[in-house]
Amino acid sequence: FNKAAITRFAGDCNNPSTSPISSFLVLIFVNATNELSPTKISPLMKAGIIVLTVNGDTAASCRQASITPTDFSVLGKYLVDQTAKVMGGPGDWAFLSATSTAPDQNAWLAGAKTYIDGGGQPTLKLVATVYGDDAPEKSATEASALLAKYPNLKAINAPTTVGIAAAAQVLSTSPLKGKVQVTGLGTPNQMRQYIKDGTVKSFSLWDPGLQGQIAANLIVSMKTKKVTPKSGVKFSIKGVGPGNWTMGKDAQIIAGPPQEFDATNIDKFNF
């Protein structure tokens, strides 16, 4: 998560005196669900300090609201539809995922399988799922192997920033460039060259800046008593993302759908 996500609204993170909200907020970027202790966090909230989690969550007792990048429960379907879009017609395709034990990617792949088994995108045939272990060399090797093994392959979807960059690098110097599409989840900075040289039509990820803008505006609304986080509460931020949000269970907020990047907008993003 980038400091720029918050500085769009809150001022310079390196100089708290410039931020109108820094004196009464704690933003926590969670790496593990049980990473925080209620005994350490509760005193902060009792003292009137606003505590939010961003880009991950913890126990609801350890924060007042949580901002999640996107609705991960439907990301599997999104990846299949994303592949269909870049293929533009029927054909074979494959997943190049991270590790075989990565819980996030495995959940997305399971969601994709459920969608396909239910009749989603029936003209597409998922021929393989391979794992690059989130290592550039291994991912590139797996991408090359897919191209060699499946001569009718039309697309590789890599829902991992390492995998998508590796697959794009392989295709960028291959005779199959433009014939086999690469898409998935990546960052604009790593994928910009492949968009501009025609290797990649489009890909997606969530916008960390949007999460920061939601957090900053929500903190001000909470401090001014305009919003009290709880399930079902609606709030709006003019000119930011979708513009309107409804808090889910335990005041969970889904920032929005994945952000798609292509030649028309990739230079508007820097992360």
Side-chain angles (χ1 to χ4, degrees):
F1 198 90
N2 198 304
K3 284 183 180 181
I6 290 298
T7 57
R8 289 186 190 180
F9 183 88
D12 186 353
C13 292
N14 292 315
N15 183 7
S17 64
T18 68
S19 170
I21 61 175
S22 61
S23 61
F24 51 80
L25 75 94
V26 175
L27 288 178
I28 300 170
F29 309 108
V30 180
N31 293 316
T33 302
N34 298 316
E35 191 173 44
L36 303 176
S37 167
T39 58
K40 294 181 179 179
I41 298 296
S42 293
L44 297 176
M45 292 190 286
K46 289 180 180 178
I49 295 174
I50 293 171
V51 180
L52 306 180
T53 54
V54 181
N55 206 49
D57 203 5
T58 188
S61 60
C62 292
R63 59 26 170 206
Q64 283 132 309
S66 175
I67 300 167
T68 299
T70 193
D71 186 353
F72 292 110
S73 69
V74 297
L75 193 59
K77 176 184 181 300
Y78 178 91
L79 295 171
V80 178
D81 291 341
Q82 176 189 58
T83 306
K85 181 178 179 180
V86 299
M87 285 174 60
D92 297 349
W93 67 287
F95 268 128
L96 170 58
S97 193
T99 68
S100 61
T101 58
D104 289 347
Q105 278 85 1
N106 283 345
W108 306 339
L109 298 184
K113 184 178 186 302
T114 298
Y115 177 50
I116 293 168
D117 290 346
Q121 299 295 347
T123 63
L124 272 61
K125 182 181 180 182
L126 178 62
V127 295
T129 297
V130 299
Y131 301 91
D133 295 342
D134 252 4
E137 290 186 7
K138 176 74 183 302
S139 297
T141 298
E142 293 292 345
S144 295
L146 286 171
L147 298 177
K149 186 174 181 179
Y150 301 99
N152 296 320
L153 197 70
K154 295 291 183 65
I156 297 173
N157 189 306
T160 155
T161 57
V162 174
I164 191 174
Q169 183 180 30
V170 168
L171 263 299
S172 69
T173 58
S174 168
L176 295 173
K177 174 182 174 180
K179 298 178 181 178
V180 178
Q181 303 301 322
V182 176
T183 192
L185 303 178
T187 69
N189 290 352
Q190 72 176 158
M191 297 299 293
R192 184 173 284 107
Q193 68 186 92
Y194 303 117
I195 287 284
K196 294 196 172 186
D197 72 9
T199 302
V200 175
K201 290 181 179 178
S202 64
F203 65 97
S204 303
L205 198 65
W206 29 96
D207 179 5
L210 174 59
Q211 295 172 72
Q213 288 180 293
I214 294 170
N217 281 275
L218 179 59
I219 287 163
V220 171
S221 294
M222 290 170 64
K223 196 63 180 179
T224 56
K225 310 296 184 183
K226 293 180 180 178
V227 173
T228 300
K230 61 181 180 179
S231 176
V233 167
K234 299 179 185 295
F235 67 100
S236 303
I237 306 172
K238 187 177 180 181
V240 174
N244 299 283
W245 293 266
T246 300
M247 295 186 185
K249 181 182 178 182
D250 296 326
Q252 293 179 335
I253 301 160
I254 296 172
Q259 171 67 54
E260 184 178 84
F261 307 100
D262 58 25
T264 68
N265 68 357
I266 194 164
D267 284 336
K268 297 177 182 179
F269 297 88
N270 182 27
F271 64 91

